[in-house]
Amino acid sequence: MKKKYFSPPCGQVRLTGGFWKQYQQLIREKTMPYQWEVLNDRVEGVEKSGAVENFKIAAGESKQRYYGTCFQDSDVGKWLECVAYLLASQPDAEWETRADDVIALLGRAQQNDGYLNTYFTVAEPGNRFTNIRECDELYCFGHLAEAAVAYAQSTGKKEMLQIICRYADLICRIFGTGDEQIPACDGHPESELAFVRLYEATGEQKYLEQAGFELHIRGAEPYYYDIEWERRGQKSFHPHLQNEKPSDDKGYDQSLCSPQNLRAPVGHAVKMGYLLAGMAAYCQYVDDPTMWEACQRVFESIRKEQVYITGAVGSTRHKEAFTAPYHLPNDRAYAETCASAALIFAMRRMLNNDPNAAYADMMECTLYNGLLAGISHNGTRFFYVNPLESYPNEIAVDPDYQAVKPVRQPWFACACCPPNLARTVADIGEYLYTVQGTQVYVQLYAASEASFALENGLKIKLHQFTDYPWNGDVRLEADCVGEYSLFLRWPEWCERVSLRIDGQEISIENRPSAGYLPLGKHSGKMTVEYKMHMEACFMEAAPAVRADAGKVAIQRGPVVYCAEECDNGPQLFRLAVDPQSSILIEEKACFGAPVLKVLNAWREGQDGGNLYRRYQPISQAVSVRLVPYCLWGNRNPEGRAGEMTVWLRRREK
Amino acid sequence: MKKKYFSPPCGQVRLTGGFWKQYQQLIREKTMPYQWEVLNDRVEGVEKSGAVENFKIAAGESKQRYYGTCFQDSDVGKWLECVAYLLASQPDAEWETRADDVIALLGRAQQNDGYLNTYFTVAEPGNRFTNIRECDELYCFGHLAEAAVAYAQSTGKKEMLQIICRYADLICRIFGTGDEQIPACDGHPESELAFVRLYEATGEQKYLEQAGFELHIRGAEPYYYDIEWERRGQKSFHPHLQNEKPSDDKGYDQSLCSPQNLRAPVGHAVKMGYLLAGMAAYCQYVDDPTMWEACQRVFESIRKEQVYITGAVGSTRHKEAFTAPYHLPNDRAYAETCASAALIFAMRRMLNNDPNAAYADMMECTLYNGLLAGISHNGTRFFYVNPLESYPNEIAVDPDYQAVKPVRQPWFACACCPPNLARTVADIGEYLYTVQGTQVYVQLYAASEASFALENGLKIKLHQFTDYPWNGDVRLEADCVGEYSLFLRWPEWCERVSLRIDGQEISIENRPSAGYLPLGKHSGKMTVEYKMHMEACFMEAAPAVRADAGKVAIQRGPVVYCAEECDNGPQLFRLAVDPQSSILIEEKACFGAPVLKVLNAWREGQDGGNLYRRYQPISQAVSVRLVPYCLWGNRNPEGRAGEMTVWLRRREK
């Protein structure tokens, strides 16, 4: 199998402590078990899921009625994938048995021809593949397939992979350019990536080819989404699509052109992210320079114009979409948790084509901020939408904030985000390294022990000791009997690093353009002491971003901070900070994370008086306390909302 | 007829030049004739009206089909009312003939029992008064009635008044608390005010009583809007109401309680304004202290918490409504032109209960800013929604701005605003004075000649010479053979005034609490030289207004200014002004209005570079050019949009 770079899977990169271990344990001990209860409809007072029951109905083992959206199956897929990653790092017979039971249930729900989708088996039999634009059949397939690959990799058990390959084979027969085939792909990208993963797991060339077919057919003429829409009587499945003619909004599902011709991200942000991940994954194995150039163009537009400082994407709730360059409202941000996950997947796949630290910088930013904001500190409450400022009083009265929840929710009718976040965090080990030949790129810093084979078959051990992201010091112990070359990512947030190899100070000047410090060839043991000087600093947005004009955000290392009402009182918008102020660090002050304190700040304006009056420069000196954005909304009494803002007005002293 | 105060009508207060004369001439020469063509469907390429044709259909004189919304009749009413006011100040045989023809048509369209509504006559015969919550029958009646009163007053012709009184009598029979009557009022307030006006014009006590009935029945139990909703099969007339049960949103039409118990403005802003005008008008003739207290409470909440600096109201497009105190987004402001007109009507009626300058201050602010922004300088293009900042690039991509048009429109499917603005401006003379006994309050300053009878029957002449609002100097010549007392409003925007009476300097210290300078008793001729010192100044909002935090607006006299792209380049949000800066005045630089120039300002930020980067204090010194907000959007090529903002970021030097 030809490949460019690979990432050692999470079973070979175990977290040993610190930030990510803590989050992975949260997923293991709280989130994953909680989601299991929810998927089985056993949690009182939360949105019903029906996801497991639907499989029982499809298997003929339940008389209940189908429940939920048409893509309910994907929640089961994501949960299984999460379990797979957790088992990879820590065996657990009880959960493995539960997962095996679910897999067996999937097998019984599978139709004779391999078809496996509960919605169209139970609720709309006979309508399979009649609305591939909207009904997410291949999207659901993709999530099940990703789980099957992960489960096989973690446990060595192939049952689910066999089930899914039967379904995949059916899809390969039904979708294609042959006379009797459907010449189109799913409206929701996901199976592109999944087919590449099936190829990685099985070596079956046809799966890679199917991914290629899906990637090249999107947007092709005649426009199949219109054809099927005509056939089904010009109806939309989803009411919010209002029976629109699909070609009236080809951007929505990135079908305005062939993906190779995309110039920028467009449409539904999760779809865009999954598509980008699929495009990049495909390029790992197929030499398709125009596809790879499209990946780079889309990435560059996201990075330079269309991403929040938290690494989140998707500026509007309307069709959950990208909008236009520099349109990044903070209060009405959509910034879906799933879109963050999708961007992270895409970045890892782009790194597997080309270890450019820009991809890792974005991956890191989105992981620490946009993604993790989606989960509560207790692991059982979730954000779907992740605004960068939240004013509960306004959210309550202005329907333009209807998508924004001021507190994390126990579950959702459309529950894509919680299990997506969980599976991403469970798999975090896989994000640490990118390898080619005997070259190892360190993409993320996290206390961890890795042991994996280089392409020459020799095993390398990599042991990271660090309190990253709260501290920029990393000690890395490497060991391999043969020769190896390490490349340390120099994060974009970091202005200065220092380095010792085996106790020897190495002089370092500027950040290399690709963003990695090459340590040269070594063999045997080696100890690297890498210090990324980390200070809290004031960030600004490009001047074209109206929402951030006159404002600064505070960042320390990869972690974006925010101000909350519980620390700073209400009306956070009255605060202004001096961007020359010193910033104090209170170590371990918020769930183990450092809290920052901007010393020179003001609370502006005078209460009372007329609504409009002559300006008077009245303010009170204050300091502003900041916590990591990913931890916001965790310190109010259950269900109580508080204000939050990432961006603060600046005011020169 | 017992009354508190009265306003001499516009026929007795003629504009002689300057600001308002110019706008009145614009209405006379451009807007009113243009609207006539539109109402007759003779303007190519604009939204069809059908409003006149509908009356022809109802009269059996046309075979066309009913066209437009259910409240299309009101556009004809407002147009007639506008013509009436214009005729009062300048006879015009041609337009009077046209108006007489329309009135005759109304007479022929009237049903035998007096009913006069084209929608329910033509489109839904048999369904009269079956959806009084949504279908605006009494609202349309009210507008026709206001026109009838104005036309009788201006021309002395009673035909329309007779037609409308027949309809009014029918309404009085149908609506009431008797056994066979409908115990409810229209969902859209307007007939309350109209019945008071019919009372003023005819002296018929029953019309005043009908106003009282409508004002006291609103919100009563059993909740009639639910009853009729059940009767008609739980259906909404308007799709956007989504068949909601009316009692699920009683605030929408101010029926959450009896109007006497209102504590603050609520719901649809135009409805709220019309209701307030009706309440205040009723209180002019009926001693109803709880009703009057409600007027004051609603006003105080508007003034202190819920009005834009432009005098506009209604913060959200969702049901075109008030939201909550201090929620005043500038870019997504609804600030409907009609809501400004409604507030102006209400303020005049409140002044007629109690000459408190606070009402006149708001009336003046809304007239010069929120209302007039609704019309183009050429008189034939209109805003329905009046944001305080407009960024066309964002409006184009973010559906939350769907109500905001970045350029004035030739007409609307729902065309309430243009004729409402026109009739208000045509009637401006009526807003200048409030009179009781021999006391005359000067509410507005405008070059004008007034001549009207005091309550003792003696005529007073009042001649104002002024270039207000571009200059705060007013010379007022008064003459009356008997005794009279003048009260000059001291506008809230003005910090210092000086006064000479018959050449004699009068020493003046502080602004009296009611906001008027009492000039004492005089008889015979008197010349007043009143100087309201007028300087451009920086205004701020109360600190609770998030949208204006860190920002200042520039105001001069009653006129709010704004910055436009055509003067200051794109990305206006990059500008910051020094609130201590001097402000230069360029006289007559924009359609005869002074232009302001803030000398100390900066254009902030550096182009290029990353989307997010460490803050660097980079800016370029600039000056900022400002034009009156009411004139914005007039200097781009036809149809071209440009940025605009009222609020500018402030930055201390």
Side-chain angles (χ1 to χ4, degrees):
Chain A
M1 192 186 296
K2 179 199 163 206
K3 58 189 168 189
K4 290 180 176 155
Y5 292 80
F6 75 99
S7 308
C10 61
Q12 296 171 11
V13 188
R14 287 155 197 259
L15 302 171
T16 50
F19 186 91
W20 284 112
K21 174 79 173 179
Q22 204 172 319
Y23 265 103
Q24 203 179 55
Q25 286 301 101
L26 183 72
I27 301 296
R28 186 187 308 278
E29 290 161 14
K30 304 284 183 178
T31 312
M32 185 277 287
Y34 172 80
Q35 292 187 1
W36 174 244
E37 294 303 302
V38 173
L39 295 185
N40 281 281
D41 308 322
R42 289 193 294 253
V43 183
E44 280 288 311
V46 314
E47 284 284 351
K48 183 179 166 180
S49 165
V52 171
E53 195 70 27
N54 290 339
F55 279 101
K56 293 182 185 164
I57 306 167
E61 298 164 12
S62 162
K63 295 287 173 214
Q64 292 199 32
R65 293 183 59 167
Y66 184 88
Y67 190 84
T69 67
C70 59
F71 51 88
Q72 218 71 349
D73 290 359
S74 61
D75 294 344
V76 174
K78 290 174 189 167
W79 180 83
L80 278 169
E81 190 181 350
C82 176
V83 173
Y85 297 132
L86 294 174
L87 292 175
S89 53
Q90 188 176 307
D92 186 318
E94 193 183 327
W95 283 109
E96 188 164 333
T97 302
R98 285 209 185 97
D100 287 340
D101 290 346
V102 174
I103 290 164
L105 174 60
L106 261 55
R108 299 194 300 278
Q110 187 167 37
Q111 306 298 293
N112 286 335
D113 59 357
Y115 187 76
L116 181 53
N117 177 293
T118 69
Y119 179 77
F120 283 100
T121 300
V122 174
E124 286 199 48
N127 282 346
R128 276 187 198 183
F129 303 129
T130 55
N131 188 347
I132 63 168
R133 178 183 187 241
E134 298 174 23
C135 288
D136 305 298
E137 270 163 296
L138 298 196
Y139 166 85
C140 286
F141 156 75
H143 279 301
L144 292 173
E146 288 205 77
V149 169
Y151 203 74
Q153 198 165 47
S154 291
T155 64
K157 295 180 184 172
K158 304 276 181 173
E159 286 77 4
M160 186 168 179
L161 196 56
Q162 284 157 3
I163 290 167
I164 295 304
C165 284
R166 284 185 60 212
Y167 189 15
D169 295 344
L170 175 72
I171 291 167
C172 292
R173 290 195 300 277
I174 290 178
F175 289 86
T177 53
D179 282 350
E180 301 292 303
Q181 289 180 299
I182 298 175
C185 57
D186 199 88
H188 200 318
E190 158 63 15
S191 55
E192 297 81 354
L193 174 62
F195 270 117
V196 174
R197 291 191 72 175
L198 281 181
Y199 166 69
E200 291 173 331
T202 65
E204 284 281 0
Q205 189 67 25
K206 69 174 172 185
Y207 295 146
L208 185 60
E209 284 165 10
Q210 193 68 15
F213 158 73
E214 293 187 344
L215 285 167
H216 289 91
I217 200 75
R218 183 171 295 274
E221 292 292 337
Y223 192 67
Y224 188 80
Y225 299 158
D226 276 354
I227 295 170
E228 60 165 16
W229 175 76
E230 295 285 356
R231 279 189 198 141
R232 63 175 189 268
Q234 305 188 348
K235 290 273 192 311
S236 295
F237 180 85
H238 300 290
H240 75 269
L241 293 179
Q242 302 185 306
N243 301 323
E244 69 175 7
K245 187 172 188 180
S247 57
D248 286 347
D249 187 6
K250 288 182 170 182
Y252 172 55
D253 39 30
Q254 298 79 42
S255 62
L256 72 174
C257 62
S258 168
Q260 296 165 294
N261 296 324
L262 281 174
R263 305 206 65 79
V266 64
H268 190 285
V270 180
K271 297 184 186 195
M272 184 66 245
Y274 279 6
L275 178 61
L276 184 60
M279 290 161 69
Y282 179 73
C283 289
Q284 285 179 245
Y285 302 101
V286 178
D287 205 30
D288 191 337
T290 60
M291 190 70 79
W292 174 242
E293 283 160 19
C295 291
Q296 292 170 289
R297 286 194 300 268
V298 170
F299 168 76
E300 282 300 321
S301 172
I302 292 174
R303 184 174 82 94
K304 289 188 174 157
E305 306 168 336
Q306 307 212 46
V307 66
Y308 286 97
I309 194 171
T310 57
V313 288
S315 298
T316 178
R317 77 178 187 283
H318 298 276
K319 292 183 165 180
E320 312 182 300
F322 284 94
T323 54
Y326 309 115
H327 178 248
L328 294 157
N330 291 307
D331 52 357
R332 291 177 298 118
Y334 202 67
E336 186 182 338
T337 305
C338 275
S340 287
L343 189 56
I344 290 163
F345 306 151
M347 292 304 99
R348 184 167 73 75
R349 290 292 177 166
M350 287 188 74
L351 285 170
N352 284 349
N353 282 272
D354 175 20
N356 177 338
Y359 311 143
D361 285 328
M362 181 163 293
M363 184 172 87
E364 175 175 79
C365 174
T366 309
L367 275 166
Y368 281 109
N369 305 293
L371 183 81
L372 285 185
I375 189 168
S376 65
H377 189 255
N378 68 7
T380 60
R381 294 292 180 271
F382 309 95
F383 280 132
Y384 187 111
V385 168
N386 294 281
L388 279 76
E389 62 187 348
S390 181
Y391 288 99
N393 290 345
E394 296 189 22
I395 290 170
V397 300
D398 184 345
D400 283 343
Y401 298 113
Q402 61 193 248
V404 179
K405 302 294 173 206
V407 292
R408 291 185 183 83
Q409 306 288 305
W411 203 247
F412 305 91
C414 170
C416 47
C417 292
N420 217 0
L421 185 155
R423 70 169 176 141
T424 308
V425 173
D427 187 35
I428 194 69
E430 192 165 3
Y431 292 79
L432 265 57
Y433 301 106
T434 306
V435 183
Q436 187 189 49
T438 56
Q439 300 187 333
V440 179
Y441 288 81
V442 187
Q443 304 293 7
L444 295 184
Y445 299 99
S448 57
E449 275 181 348
S451 170
F452 53 86
L454 300 174
E455 280 175 327
N456 57 16
L458 292 177
K459 233 178 198 164
I460 188 168
K461 287 187 178 181
L462 292 162
H463 202 155
Q464 288 191 42
F465 302 87
T466 181
D467 194 26
Y468 198 91
W470 309 136
N471 186 304
D473 296 356
V474 177
R475 187 155 65 92
L476 178 67
E477 295 178 359
D479 189 11
C480 182
V481 294
E483 196 177 81
Y484 60 97
S485 310
L486 293 183
F487 295 79
L488 302 183
R489 184 170 66 95
W490 182 336
E492 199 179 28
W493 59 257
C494 180
E495 295 203 326
R496 193 161 58 87
V497 302
S498 44
L499 181 69
R500 297 167 82 92
I501 296 182
D502 292 330
Q504 183 96 35
E505 180 87 33
I506 310 287
S507 143
I508 292 173
E509 308 249 311
N510 295 320
R511 187 176 187 250
S513 64
Y516 299 92
L517 283 183
L519 304 194
K521 292 182 178 173
H522 291 75
S523 51
K525 285 196 180 180
M526 160 168 152
T527 298
V528 178
E529 289 161 283
Y530 184 42
K531 187 180 191 67
M532 293 166 275
H533 293 266
M534 186 183 278
E535 68 231 20
C537 56
F538 292 95
M539 304 293 290
E540 66 175 357
V545 183
R546 179 167 73 97
D548 304 335
K551 294 181 176 176
V552 287
I554 290 91
Q555 186 171 339
R556 184 169 176 274
V559 177
V560 174
Y561 276 69
C562 70
E564 283 198 83
E565 182 177 351
C566 58
D567 292 314
N568 301 289
Q571 300 185 329
L572 296 174
F573 49 83
R574 291 175 67 171
L575 299 175
V577 296
D578 175 2
Q580 316 297 341
S581 170
S582 43
I583 302 175
L584 287 192
I585 300 182
E586 303 172 29
E587 295 291 352
K588 301 189 189 300
C590 177
F591 303 114
V595 163
L596 303 181
K597 205 170 193 174
V598 177
L599 292 186
N600 294 340
W602 299 267
R603 184 175 180 80
E604 296 187 334
Q606 190 167 33
D607 288 310
N610 282 347
L611 185 51
Y612 304 105
R613 59 276 187 94
R614 295 198 179 203
Y615 170 66
Q616 284 196 293
I618 292 173
S619 64
Q620 180 191 346
V622 296
S623 60
V624 175
R625 200 162 185 262
L626 302 146
V627 299
Y629 169 73
C630 63
L631 292 174
W632 87 273
N634 276 306
R635 293 173 299 149
N636 299 313
E638 172 80 14
R640 268 283 314 278
E643 296 177 6
M644 179 277 294
T645 187
V646 167
W647 292 94
L648 289 158
R649 289 190 295 111
R650 66 173 151 74
R651 169 172 152 181
E652 247 72 30
K653 206 172 168 181
Chain B
M1 192 187 295
K2 181 200 163 206
K3 58 188 167 188
K4 289 179 177 154
Y5 293 80
F6 75 99
S7 307
C10 62
Q12 296 171 12
V13 187
R14 288 156 197 260
L15 302 170
T16 50
F19 186 92
W20 283 113
K21 173 80 173 180
Q22 205 173 318
Y23 265 103
Q24 202 179 56
Q25 286 302 102
L26 182 72
I27 301 296
R28 187 188 308 278
E29 291 162 14
K30 304 284 183 177
T31 312
M32 184 276 289
Y34 172 79
Q35 293 187 1
W36 174 245
E37 294 302 303
V38 173
L39 295 185
N40 281 280
D41 309 323
R42 289 192 295 253
V43 183
E44 280 287 313
V46 313
E47 284 283 350
K48 183 179 166 181
S49 165
V52 171
E53 195 70 27
N54 290 339
F55 279 100
K56 292 181 186 165
I57 306 167
E61 298 164 13
S62 163
K63 295 288 173 213
Q64 293 198 32
R65 292 183 59 166
Y66 184 88
Y67 190 85
T69 67
C70 59
F71 51 88
Q72 217 72 347
D73 289 0
S74 61
D75 294 344
V76 175
K78 290 174 187 166
W79 180 83
L80 278 169
E81 190 181 347
C82 177
V83 172
Y85 297 132
L86 294 173
L87 292 175
S89 53
Q90 189 175 306
D92 185 318
E94 192 184 328
W95 284 109
E96 188 165 333
T97 303
R98 284 208 185 96
D100 287 340
D101 290 347
V102 174
I103 291 165
L105 174 61
L106 262 54
R108 299 194 300 279
Q110 187 167 38
Q111 305 298 292
N112 286 335
D113 60 356
Y115 187 75
L116 181 52
N117 177 294
T118 69
Y119 178 78
F120 283 99
T121 300
V122 174
E124 285 200 48
N127 282 346
R128 277 186 197 183
F129 304 129
T130 56
N131 188 348
I132 63 169
R133 179 184 186 240
E134 298 174 22
C135 288
D136 305 298
E137 271 163 296
L138 297 196
Y139 166 85
C140 286
F141 155 75
H143 280 300
L144 293 173
E146 288 205 75
V149 169
Y151 203 74
Q153 199 165 47
S154 290
T155 64
K157 295 181 184 171
K158 304 277 180 169
E159 287 77 3
M160 186 167 179
L161 195 57
Q162 285 157 3
I163 291 166
I164 295 305
C165 284
R166 285 185 60 214
Y167 189 15
D169 294 344
L170 175 71
I171 290 167
C172 292
R173 289 196 301 277
I174 290 178
F175 290 84
T177 52
D179 282 351
E180 301 292 304
Q181 289 181 298
I182 298 175
C185 58
D186 199 271
H188 200 318
E190 158 63 14
S191 55
E192 296 81 354
L193 174 62
F195 270 117
V196 174
R197 291 190 73 174
L198 282 181
Y199 167 70
E200 291 172 332
T202 65
E204 285 280 0
Q205 190 68 23
K206 68 174 174 185
Y207 296 145
L208 186 60
E209 285 164 10
Q210 193 69 16
F213 157 74
E214 293 186 343
L215 285 167
H216 289 92
I217 200 76
R218 183 171 295 273
E221 292 293 336
Y223 192 68
Y224 187 80
Y225 298 159
D226 275 355
I227 295 170
E228 61 166 16
W229 175 76
E230 295 287 353
R231 278 191 199 140
R232 63 175 190 267
Q234 305 189 346
K235 290 273 192 311
S236 295
F237 181 87
H238 300 290
H240 74 271
L241 293 179
Q242 302 185 304
N243 301 324
E244 69 175 5
K245 188 172 188 181
S247 57
D248 286 347
D249 186 6
K250 288 182 169 182
Y252 173 53
D253 39 30
Q254 298 80 42
S255 62
L256 71 174
C257 62
S258 169
Q260 295 164 295
N261 296 325
L262 282 172
R263 305 208 65 80
V266 64
H268 190 286
V270 181
K271 296 184 186 196
M272 184 67 245
Y274 279 6
L275 178 61
L276 184 61
M279 290 160 69
Y282 179 74
C283 289
Q284 287 179 243
Y285 303 101
V286 177
D287 204 31
D288 191 338
T290 60
M291 189 69 79
W292 174 243
E293 283 159 20
C295 291
Q296 293 170 287
R297 286 194 301 268
V298 170
F299 168 76
E300 282 300 320
S301 172
I302 292 174
R303 184 173 82 94
K304 289 189 175 156
E305 306 167 336
Q306 308 212 44
V307 65
Y308 285 97
I309 193 172
T310 57
V313 290
S315 298
T316 179
R317 76 178 189 283
H318 298 277
K319 293 184 164 179
E320 313 182 299
F322 284 94
T323 53
Y326 309 114
H327 178 248
L328 294 158
N330 291 306
D331 53 357
R332 292 177 297 120
Y334 201 67
E336 185 182 339
T337 306
C338 274
S340 287
L343 188 57
I344 290 163
F345 306 152
M347 291 304 100
R348 185 166 74 73
R349 290 292 178 166
M350 287 187 73
L351 286 170
N352 284 348
N353 282 271
D354 175 20
N356 177 339
Y359 311 142
D361 285 328
M362 180 164 292
M363 183 173 89
E364 177 177 77
C365 173
T366 309
L367 275 166
Y368 282 108
N369 304 293
L371 182 81
L372 284 184
I375 189 168
S376 65
H377 189 254
N378 68 7
T380 60
R381 295 292 181 270
F382 309 95
F383 280 133
Y384 188 112
V385 168
N386 295 281
L388 278 77
E389 62 186 348
S390 182
Y391 288 99
N393 291 346
E394 295 189 22
I395 291 170
V397 300
D398 184 345
D400 283 342
Y401 297 112
Q402 62 193 248
V404 179
K405 302 295 173 204
V407 292
R408 291 185 183 82
Q409 305 289 305
W411 203 247
F412 305 91
C414 170
C416 48
C417 292
N420 217 1
L421 184 154
R423 70 170 176 140
T424 308
V425 173
D427 187 34
I428 195 70
E430 194 167 2
Y431 292 80
L432 266 56
Y433 301 106
T434 306
V435 183
Q436 186 190 50
T438 56
Q439 300 187 335
V440 178
Y441 288 82
V442 187
Q443 305 292 7
L444 296 183
Y445 299 99
S448 57
E449 275 181 347
S451 170
F452 53 86
L454 300 175
E455 280 175 326
N456 58 15
L458 292 176
K459 238 183 193 161
I460 188 167
K461 287 187 178 178
L462 293 162
H463 202 154
Q464 288 191 42
F465 303 86
T466 182
D467 195 26
Y468 198 92
W470 309 135
N471 186 302
D473 297 356
V474 177
R475 187 155 65 91
L476 177 67
E477 294 178 357
D479 189 10
C480 182
V481 294
E483 196 178 83
Y484 60 96
S485 310
L486 293 182
F487 296 78
L488 302 182
R489 184 170 65 95
W490 181 336
E492 199 179 28
W493 59 257
C494 180
E495 296 202 326
R496 193 160 59 87
V497 302
S498 44
L499 181 68
R500 295 166 83 92
I501 297 182
D502 291 330
Q504 182 96 35
E505 180 87 32
I506 310 287
S507 143
I508 292 173
E509 309 250 310
N510 295 320
R511 187 176 187 248
S513 64
Y516 299 92
L517 283 182
L519 303 193
K521 292 182 178 174
H522 291 77
S523 51
K525 287 196 178 181
M526 161 169 149
T527 299
V528 178
E529 289 161 283
Y530 184 41
K531 188 179 190 68
M532 293 166 274
H533 293 266
M534 185 184 277
E535 69 231 21
C537 55
F538 292 96
M539 303 293 289
E540 66 176 357
V545 183
R546 178 167 74 98
D548 303 335
K551 295 182 175 177
V552 286
I554 290 92
Q555 185 171 342
R556 183 169 176 275
V559 177
V560 173
Y561 277 70
C562 70
E564 284 198 82
E565 182 177 352
C566 58
D567 292 313
N568 301 288
Q571 300 184 329
L572 296 174
F573 49 84
R574 292 175 66 170
L575 299 175
V577 296
D578 175 3
Q580 316 297 338
S581 170
S582 42
I583 302 175
L584 286 191
I585 299 182
E586 302 173 28
E587 295 290 353
K588 299 188 190 303
C590 177
F591 303 115
V595 163
L596 303 181
K597 204 170 194 174
V598 177
L599 292 186
N600 294 339
W602 299 266
R603 185 176 179 81
E604 296 187 334
Q606 191 167 32
D607 288 311
N610 283 348
L611 185 51
Y612 303 105
R613 58 275 186 94
R614 295 200 179 202
Y615 170 66
Q616 285 197 293
I618 292 173
S619 64
Q620 181 192 346
V622 296
S623 60
V624 175
R625 201 162 184 262
L626 302 146
V627 298
Y629 169 73
C630 64
L631 292 174
W632 86 272
N634 276 305
R635 292 173 300 150
N636 300 313
E638 172 79 15
R640 268 281 314 278
E643 296 177 5
M644 180 278 294
T645 187
V646 167
W647 292 95
L648 290 157
R649 288 190 294 112
R650 65 174 152 74
R651 168 171 155 182
E652 247 72 30
K653 205 173 170 181

